[in-house]
């Protein structure tokens, strides 16, 4: 099997989308190395990026991936395909589908092998949806990250005249996932009382002001408790407010940390916060879930979060740690100071998180590729 991966992020940052791409690449490499006994003869993985990836950074050490730097990704991918004849070309989109559209424009013949991870769409933007339809028509499969997000798009496409059987074959799920901890069966430290942590890019819709208001109330009872922040960057929509909130007396600011340092911080804190107050037009945050939820879950750290569509699908409608505002956060925190309830929540969330560790989450994606290749082989035979 020959695969080509590409993602047009400008430089390496230890943030969600970049880490997701590298974690997938690493999981695929490990899977293929375990399936094929002679890698050089049986599989090939190329990765086209717009910058020089430093192999080994943050423990992302690849043995069988050839990294190719290019400032013109579509042209390079098309040129490589003529030489290597890939089975699949996997493109992870960014904010829109422009990256894929450029690849399609460069070479429409790639449609039979083009796999697209589509992160965003806006049903109210007719221009954007025309682009999405073009991507779907000119690709082998399009992957969405949650079932609600996929079903919402499918319903729209059915109204546009697509056949259901075509969509069932073309639209697939590739969930968010996280890298396994370097510690076997990590156990939260469960300090008494537990600390709270928020990780990931800081955005206005992620509720940091609400979290700080909750911390003020919690610290009236437990003055030694802080909100620990670890973040790779601050989004433009939050930049004007960020300094004030980051320097609040209720906050311990850890700034940018590596993925492994962040895992250690989460374990030490004991409770995770992952709030979404979605004011976007496309509603993507509501239909998806934050990678940080999976990170907390895989470590067995109870996560306090908001009751969005994606979170309900991920955690179940009766998940005990759903909140709406700072008062709810305080009430849930008080419950989690009870050791028995904490352990119950830790076990519950760990069972959910296990499904999204990369080597487990990759299995359905791998089977999808294998089944598709076998079907194509049988069809040609």
């Amino acid at each position: 099997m020959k695969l080509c991966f590409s993602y047009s992020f400008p430089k390496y940052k230890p943030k969600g989308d970049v880490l997701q791409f590298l974690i997938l690449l690493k999981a695929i490499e490990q899977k293929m190395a375990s399936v094929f006994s002679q890698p050089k003869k049986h599989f090939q993985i190329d990765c086209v990026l717009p910058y020089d990836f430093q192999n080994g950074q943050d423990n992302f050490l690849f043995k069988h991936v050839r990294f190719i730097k290019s400032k013109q990704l579509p042209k390079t991918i098309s040129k490589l395909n003529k030489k290597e004849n890939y089975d699949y070309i996997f493109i992870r989109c960014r904010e829109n589908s422009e990256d894929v559209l450029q690849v399609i424009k460069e070479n429409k013949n790639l449609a039979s092998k083009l796999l697209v991870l589509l992160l965003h769409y806006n049903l109210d933007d007719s221009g954007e949806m025309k682009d999405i339809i073009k991507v779907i028509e000119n690709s082998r499969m399009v992957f969405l990250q949650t079932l609600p997000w996929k079903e919402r798009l499918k319903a729209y496409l059915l109204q546009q005249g697509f056949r259901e059987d075509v969509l069932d074959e073309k639209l697939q799920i590739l969930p968010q996932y996280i890298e396994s901890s370097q510690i076997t069966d990590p156990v939260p430290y469960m300090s008494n009382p537990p600390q709270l942590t928020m990780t990931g890019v800081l955005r206005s819709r992620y509720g940091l002001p609400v979290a700080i208001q909750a911390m003020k109330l919690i610290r009236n009872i437990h003055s030694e408790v802080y909100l620990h922040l670890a973040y790779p960057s601050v989004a433009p929509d939050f930049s004007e407010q960020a300094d004030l909130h980051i320097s609040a007396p209720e906050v311990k600011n850890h700034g940018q940390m590596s993925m492994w340092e962040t895992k250690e911080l989460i374990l030490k804190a004991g409770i995770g916060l992952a709030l979404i107050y979605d004011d976007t037009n496309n509603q993507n945050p509501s239909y998806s879930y934050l990678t940080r939820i999976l990170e907390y879950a895989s470590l067995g750290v109870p996560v306090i979060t908001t009751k969005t569509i994606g979170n309900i699908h991920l955690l179940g409608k009766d998940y005990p740690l759903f909140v709406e505002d700072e008062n709810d956060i305080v009430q849930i925190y008080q419950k989690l100071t009870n050791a028995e309830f904490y352990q119950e929540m830790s076990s519950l969330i760990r069972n959910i998180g296990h499904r999204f560790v990369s080597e487990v989450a990759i299995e359905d994606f791998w089977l999808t590729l294998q089944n598709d290749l076998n079907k194509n082989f049988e069809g040609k035979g």
Side-chain angles (χ1 to χ4, degrees):
M1 184 185 291
K2 292 184 177 182
L3 303 179
C4 179
F5 287 80
S6 185
Y7 180 33
S8 183
F9 56 90
K11 62 181 180 178
Y12 176 83
K13 288 183 180 180
K15 57 182 288 187
D17 57 341
V18 178
L19 296 178
Q20 285 278 292
F21 179 78
L22 293 173
I23 291 169
L24 172 65
L25 191 63
K26 185 175 179 180
I28 283 289
E29 179 192 54
Q30 292 173 339
K31 182 66 178 180
M32 294 181 77
S34 69
V35 170
F36 302 108
S37 58
Q38 296 177 316
K40 291 184 179 179
K41 293 185 178 181
H42 289 87
F43 79 83
Q44 177 179 335
I45 307 174
D46 290 339
C47 183
V48 185
L49 299 174
Y51 75 101
D52 283 320
F53 174 73
Q54 300 300 314
N55 197 11
Q57 188 161 5
D58 276 344
N59 288 336
F60 284 109
L61 182 62
F62 296 91
K63 297 179 180 179
H64 308 296
V65 177
R66 179 176 63 156
F67 288 95
I68 299 135
K69 178 185 177 181
S70 173
K71 294 297 184 181
Q72 296 181 311
L73 300 186
K75 290 184 180 298
T76 300
I77 291 169
S78 181
K79 184 177 179 180
L80 283 169
N81 181 66
K82 289 179 182 178
K83 179 181 178 182
E84 305 294 348
N85 190 24
Y86 297 117
D87 293 298
Y88 293 111
I89 297 168
F90 181 96
I91 308 293
R92 178 186 171 96
C93 288
R94 298 192 73 193
E95 287 77 11
N96 53 46
S97 55
E98 184 61 30
D99 300 338
V100 181
L101 291 173
Q102 289 298 323
V103 172
I104 293 170
K105 183 179 179 181
E106 182 67 31
N107 189 346
K108 288 188 176 181
N109 293 329
L110 296 180
S112 63
K113 57 183 68 178
L114 189 59
L115 308 179
V116 179
L117 177 56
L118 186 65
L119 301 180
H120 300 278
Y121 61 80
N122 184 351
L123 299 184
D124 295 327
D125 187 327
S126 59
E128 181 178 325
M129 294 315 296
K130 285 181 181 179
D131 289 343
I132 296 294
I133 288 174
K134 187 173 182 179
V135 168
I136 291 171
E137 290 174 337
N138 290 277
S139 59
R140 184 71 183 178
M141 284 180 278
V142 172
F143 292 85
L144 289 306
Q145 292 194 303
T146 70
L147 182 60
W149 198 225
K150 169 190 167 183
E151 293 300 325
R152 185 172 185 247
L153 179 60
K154 178 183 174 181
Y156 172 88
L157 294 172
L158 287 172
Q159 293 178 348
Q160 305 306 308
F162 280 82
R163 285 173 26 207
E164 186 165 11
D165 61 328
V166 171
L167 294 177
D168 286 341
E169 183 173 339
K170 184 154 288 196
L171 298 183
Q172 301 289 334
I173 299 292
L174 178 57
Q176 297 184 72
Y177 35 79
I178 43 88
E179 183 81 339
S180 299
S181 172
Q182 295 174 318
I183 306 170
T184 303
D185 296 325
V187 177
Y189 294 4
M190 182 49 183
S191 58
N192 188 20
Q195 305 284 310
L196 291 96
T197 185
M198 288 183 73
T199 64
V201 174
L202 297 180
R203 300 183 184 277
S204 58
R205 64 174 175 263
Y206 292 164
L208 180 55
V210 175
I212 291 175
Q213 287 301 315
M215 290 307 305
K216 289 180 179 178
L217 299 174
I218 289 171
R219 281 169 53 80
N220 286 336
I221 309 168
H222 306 284
S223 60
E224 64 272 50
V225 176
Y226 290 90
L227 177 64
H228 295 261
L229 288 182
Y231 53 94
S233 60
V234 180
D237 69 338
F238 197 61
S239 59
E240 292 185 4
Q241 308 171 54
D243 288 344
L244 177 64
H245 293 298
I246 290 170
S247 60
E250 298 80 16
V251 169
K252 291 287 187 181
N253 178 15
H254 299 270
Q256 181 170 305
M257 304 178 75
S258 73
M259 179 173 63
W260 303 108
E261 289 171 332
T262 301
K263 287 178 186 288
E264 183 69 15
L265 175 67
I266 291 170
L267 284 170
K268 285 182 178 179
I271 297 175
L273 271 176
L275 309 175
I276 303 177
Y277 298 100
D278 188 3
D279 58 356
T280 63
N281 290 330
N282 64 21
Q283 293 291 290
N284 180 36
S286 289
Y287 279 80
S288 302
Y289 41 79
L290 298 175
T291 308
R292 67 195 73 178
I293 294 179
L294 305 180
E295 195 71 75
Y296 300 139
S298 70
L299 297 171
V301 171
V303 52
I304 298 172
T305 189
T306 38
K307 198 172 187 178
T308 64
I309 295 169
N311 283 346
I312 290 171
H313 180 72
L314 174 67
L315 304 168
K317 63 182 179 63
D318 297 321
Y319 179 65
L321 307 185
F322 280 140
V323 297
E324 291 185 8
D325 56 25
E326 61 269 23
N327 295 313
D328 292 338
I329 294 173
V330 175
Q331 290 180 18
I332 294 297
Y333 175 83
Q334 286 292 82
K335 289 183 179 180
L336 287 169
T337 60
N338 177 281
E340 184 176 344
F341 181 73
Y342 183 96
Q343 291 303 326
E344 180 184 344
M345 293 300 99
S346 177
S347 297
L348 172 66
I349 200 72
R350 188 188 299 277
N351 288 336
I352 294 171
H354 173 73
R355 305 197 307 267
F356 297 92
V357 173
S358 59
E359 58 265 30
V360 177
I362 200 68
E363 285 299 321
D364 285 344
F365 178 66
W366 174 253
L367 289 175
T368 297
L369 300 191
Q370 289 286 85
N371 291 339
D372 188 63
L373 273 183
N374 291 338
K375 184 171 62 176
N376 288 341
F377 181 79
E378 292 170 0
K380 291 178 182 178

